[in-house]
Amino acid sequence: MNKKKPKAAKKASKEKSIGLTVEEFNELQRKYPDSREALNDAISAKQDDNFYIRLTKLKNQQSKLGNDAVPDALIKEISSRKKNKNFRKPKQDQNSKLAQENDSVENKIPEQIKWQGICATTVGRSHLQSHPQIECQDAAKVVSTPRAAIFVADGAGCARLSHLGSKSVVEELAGFINSKQATHGEILDQEQIINCNDSDRGKEYAYKFVKYAVEGLRKLANTEDCSVEDLKCTLLMAVSGKFYIFWLKVGDGFIVVEKDNKLELLGSLGKGEFANQTTFLSESLNDKAISYGFLPAENVTGIAAFTDGAGETLVTTHDSKIAGELSNFFAQMRGGSLDNDSLLKFLEDETVWASPKGFDDRGIALLAQSK
């Protein structure tokens, strides 16, 4: 009897973990958002850009947190990958020690900047006064981890389902950020200089977002039995990296960064900008309608993207002067006094948006560097 117990314990100690690539792990977190805590807790190791999940630990989390937090479908999906992805966490060897000794080389690459984000949208008075009332056509989305990004879209007033299109675009692109980390890291986390106007690699990266967004509109058009033109919208976005911040604009709206304690408007002189013409994400979008760039991330402490409706107060169109209120927003976020609800109150404040302002929908997304 006593001899069998050590064998049982020894067998349990050899439980193998299931290996997942970073993209597979991030896809599971996106697919099962309520399970993120449990998935992170079940990680036994992270090596060579792979996560290793201990299935027993995940099942224990299910017992503790319930099926809503850890559904059977998640466990089944991970179990199905077990055949080809088993591994036993290796003991530290000479190679591991050598890797530790070479940590100083890795330390030359700065840590990913930590950001906190908030967003809000509200319907304009002109839509409220319509009969029937028109839904808010602005949409905003923030991604804080594992890579910070903001997305804002403004549905075309002439497109009957543009409120659905704008929501689809920000959600689809947020999923693209979470599921394709290697793609973003190859561009934004590398210490090379990218000229956004001349680099084919930079252009290819920018167009991935546009193509992904338009493809999302195509899928939605099939679901809603309409055309992509019925869903068209503008797009404003920014994605953070270790060395670069990527920004992109299609149509109206503003992107502002806080750098060296100063506010800077992006896109006014960038590739594809032209006056007195509004463009939208659509199947017929041309190169001149797309404006994008790569901004060195050093000393950037805040990023904002907002529709032209919100810009009525935050930017003066005749001289592109940026309201100091944005600096206050970033400071308040770092101090913990500005959240989604507070931002929404600002967008709905009748004293701020008194006539002739406030007739258009207003949408804004903010990222502030964490302390």
Side-chain angles (χ1 to χ4, degrees), residues 122-124 127 135-138 307-310 359-363:
T122 191
V123 66
H127 286 186
E135 294 187 51
C136 181
Q137 295 170 324
D138 285 6
T307 60
D308 52 349
F359 284 92
D360 198 2
D361 296 339
R362 301 178 287 283

Side-chain angles (χ1 to χ4, degrees), residues 19 61 105 124 139 165 172 176 186 190 198 206 227 266 271 282 287 294 343 368:
Q61 288 290 86
V105 176
E172 289 286 340
F176 180 55
E186 288 172 358
Q190 305 302 317
D198 299 331
S227 70
L266 299 181
K271 175 181 177 295
S282 68
D287 287 1
F294 296 84
L343 187 60

Side-chain angles (χ1 to χ4, degrees), residues 123-127 129 312 353 355-362:
V123 66
R125 281 196 297 275
S126 62
H127 286 186
Q129 294 169 0
E312 290 177 338
W353 306 98
S355 183
K357 301 176 182 178
F359 284 92
D360 198 2
D361 296 339
R362 301 178 287 283

Side-chain angles (χ1 to χ4, degrees), residues 16 33 35 56 60 74 78 80 93 143 147 151 153 167 175 204 208 276 305 332 334-335 351 360-361 365:
K16 295 179 180 179
S35 305
T56 300
N60 289 340
L74 170 60
I78 294 179
S80 68
D93 54 17
V143 177
R147 181 180 300 276
F151 305 95
K167 291 176 183 176
E204 180 183 355
K208 284 182 179 180
N276 300 321
Q332 289 167 19
R334 287 187 280 271
T351 61
D360 198 2
D361 296 339

Side-chain angles (χ1 to χ4, degrees), residues 54-340:
R54 185 171 293 138
L55 199 58
T56 300
K57 183 68 173 179
L58 192 62
K59 290 178 179 178
N60 289 340
Q61 288 290 86
Q62 184 185 52
S63 300
K64 178 182 177 181
L65 303 174
N67 288 331
D68 289 339
V70 187
D72 291 334
L74 170 60
I75 293 177
K76 185 177 180 180
E77 189 167 345
I78 294 179
S79 299
S80 68
R81 309 182 191 200
K82 187 174 183 179
K83 184 177 180 181
N84 297 321
K85 292 189 176 181
N86 277 339
F87 105 115
R88 203 175 306 164
K89 185 177 179 181
K91 295 180 180 179
Q92 187 180 43
D93 54 17
Q94 289 296 328
N95 290 334
S96 300
K97 292 178 180 178
L98 183 61
Q100 288 182 355
E101 292 173 0
N102 291 335
D103 269 350
S104 58
V105 176
E106 292 295 323
N107 287 338
K108 292 180 180 178
I109 301 177
E111 291 294 325
Q112 189 79 40
I113 298 172
K114 293 183 179 180
W115 299 89
Q116 51 187 313
I118 58 175
C119 62
T121 62
T122 191
V123 66
R125 281 196 297 275
S126 62
H127 286 186
L128 293 174
Q129 294 169 0
S130 298
H131 299 285
Q133 290 185 357
I134 301 175
E135 294 187 51
C136 181
Q137 295 170 324
D138 285 6
K141 183 79 174 181
V142 170
V143 177
S144 297
T145 58
R147 181 180 300 276
I150 51 176
F151 305 95
V152 175
D154 183 356
C158 59
R160 64 186 181 88
L161 296 177
S162 65
H163 60 288
L164 298 180
S166 60
K167 291 176 183 176
S168 170
V169 164
V170 300
E171 292 293 341
E172 289 286 340
L173 291 180
F176 180 55
I177 289 294
N178 285 327
S179 63
K180 303 291 183 182
Q181 283 302 307
T183 298
H184 310 302
E186 288 172 358
I187 295 289
L188 304 179
D189 297 343
Q190 305 302 317
E191 196 176 9
Q192 80 273 15
I193 298 175
I194 299 176
N195 186 312
C196 68
N197 291 315
D198 299 331
S199 168
D200 289 338
R201 192 180 180 194
K203 180 178 180 179
E204 180 183 355
Y205 180 69
Y207 275 65
K208 284 182 179 180
F209 288 96
V210 175
K211 291 177 181 177
Y212 206 89
V214 173
E215 183 56 35
L217 292 179
R218 288 196 187 104
K219 290 188 292 185
L220 181 60
N222 289 333
T223 301
E224 296 294 327
D225 192 22
C226 66
S227 70
V228 172
E229 289 296 305
D230 292 325
L231 302 165
K232 63 185 182 180
C233 60
T234 65
L235 172 62
L236 306 162
M237 58 164 287
V239 185
S240 70
K242 291 179 180 178
F243 288 100
Y244 289 94
I245 292 169
F246 170 73
W247 60 269
L248 182 145
K249 291 179 61 179
V250 176
D252 290 339
F254 305 89
I255 300 176
V256 174
V257 294
E258 181 186 58
K259 184 172 185 177
D260 296 319
N261 296 317
K262 296 179 181 180
L263 297 175
E264 177 184 347
L265 188 66
L266 299 181
S268 60
L269 300 178
K271 175 181 177 295
E273 287 293 313
F274 46 93
N276 300 321
Q277 188 173 347
T278 302
T279 55
F280 301 98
L281 280 171
S282 68
E283 293 176 306
S284 59
L285 191 66
N286 60 56
D287 287 1
K288 291 182 179 180
I290 304 169
S291 174
Y292 62 86
F294 296 84
L295 178 73
E298 187 177 9
N299 298 329
V300 174
T301 51
I303 312 170
F306 46 95
T307 60
D308 52 349
E312 290 177 338
T313 288
L314 298 175
V315 176
T316 55
T317 55
H318 67 280
D319 60 2
S320 298
K321 186 176 181 180
I322 307 167
E325 189 67 27
L326 283 173
S327 292
N328 294 335
F329 286 164
F330 294 136
Q332 289 167 19
M333 288 173 67
R334 287 187 280 271
S337 60
L338 188 69
D339 56 16
N340 291 334

